Amino acid sequence: MKPNITKSQLYEHVSRIGKALSSPKRLELIELLAQGEKTVETLAAQARIDMRLASAHLRALREARLVETRRAGKFINYRLSGEDVGRLWVNLREVAEEHLVELRIALAQMTAAPDALSSESRASLLAKARSGDVLVIDVRPAAEYEAGHLPFARSMPLAELEKRLADLPADKEIVAYCRGPFCLMSDEAVRLLRQRGYTAHKISDGVSEWLASGLPIERQPPVPDTDGEQLRDIHSGERP
Amino acid sequence: MKPNITKSQLYEHVSRIGKALSSPKRLELIELLAQGEKTVETLAAQARIDMRLASAHLRALREARLVETRRAGKFINYRLSGEDVGRLWVNLREVAEEHLVELRIALAQMTAAPDALSSESRASLLAKARSGDVLVIDVRPAAEYEAGHLPFARSMPLAELEKRLADLPADKEIVAYCRGPFCLMSDEAVRLLRQRGYTAHKISDGVSEWLASGLPIERQPPVPDTDGEQLRDIHSGERP
DNA sequence: AAAACAATCTAGCGATTGTTAGAGTGAAAG
DNA sequence: CTTTCACTCTAACAATCGCTAGATTGTTTT
């Protein structure tokens, strides 16, 4: 028996992960899931695709074991199957940004240049947030904030920002973040804040990038809503 | 203008990298290139595929900007376009190993259980190699050793191991490594050494894994052979 | 100039993939 | 029980991909 016969199977298995990462829609779904557990409907809405198409892509991700499911009543919640999946997404995006000039150009065209975040600037931001020198706001939907957020960050969803402006100190420097470098919500928030006279800027980090750089995130203790969802594993079998 | 129209293009660009990683053959080529610059012919031979097929796969990798080319006379040398590409390969393989049980089973069936390498055991191995407590041998082809190898490692290609046994101290513990966890050369070396009465075991690390864990590698100063190759960039343009 | 050689290009094939749309499932609400 | 709702499954299409094999390009050797 030749060893190479089975050796190529090793690469085939790894390529299953690669295949899962080879579709733009699936990458978008992974980034959304990196913000926390979501239902198929939510994912479809946020990625602006048909729910049936989202379901098909999620199936592909599930078969590559990059996501897991959990039924909660009528809903099925998807989540990344580990922090390493988020790290892989960040790693993939970083390599793309490093080597694909077209991507850098497209990014520069659509988002404001964020503060580059080296490990030192991350540490100093953390220190300034702790001391209260700056106010870090998380402009993602509240559910995503609750699933995990940067330390000392306050939830201030973009959709509610305008009517909650009174909650923000007028004299303090504000730092906004959202889902990551590809997300435009922090840009939008900064635009609005500056227009109203605030000193605001954004950072490109999201929770995944923060985690990938080795820093900790804060999590609300999960509040069991109403009488608690029944948790059951589904999709335990492989495809026939 | 909707922002999502262009936002999906960002994911499309990243998915170009994902597509490049979605083929087992291309992954094998990446692992081979992580051992150092190689010609198309060498890559085809080592991956046991037709040179024309190798060329096609290398083209796909080149278009994803994961590899670069350099003409040296009649030959064209391919290399990874950065250390981050090697790290990405390691990252991808680790996620696959973590989540795909089938891969772990296949690995266990074909290779001996290697010493698990945590950062502490890497550091202690390095210390023992420095002090001479163990002899670390690199059983890859000599060209790959020259392109970069673990600190204090001695080159001892598998093909020459048997006739160079006299060079090895009979009383010292020997640690063998090769291209990485998927490579069988270190298994083969350990088998041979133990058969001849040596105390030998393997580690799963290759140069990429060592680098990815943040440790340095040693490189021979590149010796310009004969009158020096003329170095020219080729394939500067994109596909038409 | 001709021959040898490394590598790429091209054409063609079967298989796989992304997407759409309709039908079906299983849990909860009426 | 029936209806509603979230989601999955199935069929079907065009588009793309992996591979093979023949022809071609560009460089070195003779």
Side-chain angles (χ1 to χ4, degrees), chain B:
Chain B
M1 56 170 187
K2 284 202 231 165
N4 218 54
I5 291 175
T6 53
K7 196 191 174 194
S8 65
Q9 292 177 336
L10 300 179
Y11 297 101
E12 250 160 54
H13 278 127
V14 182
S15 78
R16 287 170 58 191
I17 311 286
K19 281 201 209 345
L21 302 175
S22 70
S23 146
K25 300 265 163 63
R26 282 198 290 272
L27 293 178
E28 189 166 4
L29 291 174
I30 287 176
E31 195 191 38
L32 287 169
L33 286 171
Q35 316 304 320
E37 205 180 51
K38 287 181 200 294
T39 66
V40 181
E41 213 176 27
T42 311
L43 286 164
Q46 294 182 342
R48 297 165 185 274
I49 56 177
D50 189 284
M51 198 185 71
R52 291 172 293 186
L53 180 56
S55 179
H57 279 305
L58 288 167
R59 184 187 177 185
L61 289 172
R62 207 181 57 223
E63 277 167 5
R65 300 286 199 282
L66 294 181
V67 303
E68 294 169 346
T69 53
R70 180 179 71 92
R71 184 179 274 278
K74 201 155 47 169
F75 300 87
I76 294 181
N77 288 297
Y78 279 78
R79 61 170 177 277
L80 297 189
S81 48
E83 275 185 14
D84 56 342
V85 179
R87 263 199 310 275
L88 179 58
W89 154 243
V90 173
N91 197 180
L92 189 74
R93 188 179 43 67
E94 281 173 350
V95 169
E97 249 176 286
E98 172 70 27
H99 297 288
L100 301 178
V101 202
E102 310 90 309
L103 174 57
R104 278 209 298 276
I105 292 172
L107 250 180
Q109 277 178 346
M110 60 192 310
T111 82
D115 282 14
L117 278 192
S118 60
S119 22
E120 305 87 58
S121 70
R122 283 198 183 92
S124 81
L125 173 68
L126 190 54
K128 284 197 283 187
R130 179 184 291 114
S131 69
D133 274 358
V134 302
L135 175 62
V136 177
I137 63 172
D138 180 327
V139 300
R140 299 173 301 161
E144 299 181 6
Y145 173 85
E146 280 155 28
H149 52 85
L150 300 210
F152 310 105
R154 185 196 295 187
S155 178
M156 188 64 64
L158 182 57
E160 301 166 27
L161 181 57
E162 195 147 19
K163 62 179 174 219
R164 285 180 56 188
L165 275 178
D167 298 1
L168 294 178
D171 55 340
K172 199 179 275 189
E173 186 187 350
I174 295 175
V175 171
Y177 77 92
C178 50
R179 289 173 182 151
F182 287 4
C183 178
L184 302 175
M185 293 192 288
S186 58
D187 287 281
E188 192 60 31
V190 166
R191 209 182 50 75
L192 180 76
L193 288 171
R194 287 192 180 152
Q195 198 179 295
R196 303 303 176 90
Y198 290 87
T199 306
H201 59 104
K202 70 167 225 178
I203 56 175
S204 62
D205 270 16
V207 166
S208 309
E209 288 74 19
W210 193 261
L211 273 171
S213 82
L215 291 163
I217 62 154
E218 270 175 17
R219 230 174 279 272
Q220 310 287 82
V223 182
D225 58 339
T226 68
D227 62 341
E229 314 159 322
Q230 3 167 217
L231 310 185
R232 245 173 299 170
D233 274 356
I234 59 177
H235 296 131
S236 45
E238 194 52 337
R239 60 175 166 180

Side-chain angles (χ1 to χ4, degrees), chain A residues 3-4 6-7 11 13 16 18-19 21-22 31 48 65 81 84 91 98-100 102 110 182 184, chain B residues 3-4 6-7 11 13 16 18-19 21-22 31 48 81 84 91 98-100 102 110 182 184:
Chain A
N4 217 53
T6 53
K7 197 192 173 194
Y11 296 101
H13 278 127
R16 286 171 58 191
K19 280 200 211 339
L21 302 175
S22 70
E31 195 191 38
R48 297 165 184 274
R65 300 284 198 283
S81 48
D84 56 343
N91 198 178
E98 172 70 28
H99 297 288
L100 300 178
E102 310 90 308
M110 60 193 309
F182 287 4
L184 302 175
Chain B
N4 218 54
T6 53
K7 196 191 174 194
Y11 297 101
H13 278 127
R16 287 170 58 191
K19 281 201 209 345
L21 302 175
S22 70
E31 195 191 38
R48 297 165 185 274
S81 48
D84 56 342
N91 197 180
E98 172 70 27
H99 297 288
L100 301 178
E102 310 90 309
M110 60 192 310
F182 287 4
L184 302 175

Side-chain angles (χ1 to χ4, degrees), chain A residues 94-105:
Chain A
E94 281 172 349
V95 169
E97 248 175 287
E98 172 70 28
H99 297 288
L100 300 178
V101 203
E102 310 90 308
L103 173 57
R104 278 209 297 276
I105 293 173

Side-chain angles (χ1 to χ4, degrees), chain A residues 65-117:
Chain A
R65 300 284 198 283
L66 294 181
V67 304
E68 295 170 345
T69 54
R70 180 179 71 91
R71 184 178 273 277
K74 201 155 49 166
F75 300 86
I76 294 181
N77 288 298
Y78 278 79
R79 61 169 178 277
L80 297 190
S81 48
E83 274 185 16
D84 56 343
V85 179
R87 262 200 309 276
L88 179 58
W89 154 244
V90 172
N91 198 178
L92 189 73
R93 189 179 43 67
E94 281 172 349
V95 169
E97 248 175 287
E98 172 70 28
H99 297 288
L100 300 178
V101 203
E102 310 90 308
L103 173 57
R104 278 209 297 276
I105 293 173
L107 251 181
Q109 278 178 345
M110 60 193 309
T111 83
D115 282 14
L117 279 191

Side-chain angles (χ1 to χ4, degrees), chain A residues 2 8 19 21-22 25 35 69 72 91 121 132 143 150 155 175 192 200 202 207 216 224 227 232 237-239:
Chain A
K2 283 200 232 164
S8 65
K19 280 200 211 339
L21 302 175
S22 70
K25 300 263 165 64
Q35 315 304 319
T69 54
N91 198 178
S121 70
L150 300 211
S155 177
V175 171
L192 181 75
K202 71 167 226 177
V207 167
D227 62 342
R232 245 173 298 171
E238 191 60 334
R239 58 173 168 181

